[in-house]
Amino acid sequence: MNVNYAMILAAGLGTRMRPLTLTTPKPLVAVAGKTLLDWALDNVAQAGVSHVVVNVHHLGNLIEAHLQDREFPHVTCIAEDPVLETGGGVQNALGHLGDAPFFVLNADGLWLDGETSALARMADLWDDDRMDGLLLLHDPQTAFGYDGVGDFMVDIEGRLSRRQETDTNAQVFTGVQLLHPRLFEGAPGGAYSLNVLYDRALAAGRLFGTTASGEWHHVGTMDALAESDAHIRERDQRP
């Protein structure tokens, strides 16, 4: 399956990275010389995505100015006021995302592909008869900037369930996903989390996941930023 549309969620306030984010919106924070937003855009461009929607709020004018010279993929910015959270933000942009499955990415989740492209693999795994959503997951023990215990359990077919307290091998959700527009049928509107729709898809057995083979960096704090920056610079200098 060819995926032509994607959305990057970039409307957050970045409060955990203040004072840096008082003057620089979090999507424009640089890791190893490249902004988080450009890491995401380069990944979707490499996967052949031609149209991207970026929602903006905090210092949104700086994000829009940064994107003016971007030639590929084509980027449409949508200003949010007030912020609509993840679910409301995507629902608000559906008119720009076509009628087929599209990628959604968090701006603060930076990933480096392993032997294969994560987005290409997700497109190959998509099964329209069984899926309304496909999430990219990662082993929490090897994730950068993440100290939690994971979010989802994955069965042998890739179908997801929420982690329970007794589960010890849950996977963490990277914020990268492939969603079908039908997931939003009957959605509440306004500001709400995508978790509302995940729960509905989980109950129907239509939310699936696949584990990333490369690195995933959750750049949510200044410490995580420093760790990821140092690691990627060192990685790029290896022979």
Side-chain angles (χ1 to χ4, degrees), residues 145-161:
Y146 178 81
D147 58 4
V149 292
D151 304 301
F152 293 101
M153 300 295 294
V154 190
D155 73 12
I156 194 170
E157 295 183 346
R159 191 174 277 106
L160 299 185
S161 59

Side-chain angles (χ1 to χ4, degrees), residues 4-148:
N4 295 315
Y5 293 89
M7 181 170 184
I8 299 175
L9 300 173
L13 300 178
T15 54
R16 291 189 299 163
M17 298 184 75
R18 290 178 177 171
L20 175 61
T21 49
L22 291 175
T23 55
T24 301
K26 188 175 181 182
L28 297 188
V29 169
V31 179
K34 184 192 295 189
T35 71
L36 288 168
L37 184 55
D38 285 315
W39 279 105
L41 285 167
D42 287 350
N43 277 333
V44 296
Q46 186 176 6
V49 173
S50 56
H51 292 79
V52 177
V53 175
V54 177
N55 65 338
V56 299
H57 177 71
H58 174 59
L59 300 176
N61 60 314
L62 299 182
I63 296 175
E64 293 185 39
H66 178 80
L67 292 170
Q68 280 183 349
D69 296 328
R70 183 94 193 190
E71 295 183 357
F72 187 85
H74 174 76
V75 178
T76 299
C77 288
I78 297 179
E80 288 185 8
D81 190 17
V83 175
L84 295 172
E85 300 183 41
T86 54
V90 178
Q91 185 176 350
N92 185 53
L94 285 177
H96 299 275
L97 294 169
D99 56 5
F102 54 87
F103 291 117
V104 178
L105 301 81
N106 291 344
D108 61 356
L110 186 163
W111 83 93
L112 306 175
D113 281 324
E115 295 182 358
T116 60
S117 162
L119 298 184
R121 190 169 77 256
M122 293 174 74
D124 288 342
L125 287 172
W126 183 263
D127 184 338
D128 208 62
D129 291 333
R130 297 196 301 158
M131 299 176 180
D132 289 335
L134 177 63
L135 311 188
L136 183 66
L137 309 173
H138 200 283
D139 181 349
Q141 311 243 349
T142 58
F144 291 83
Y146 178 81
D147 58 4

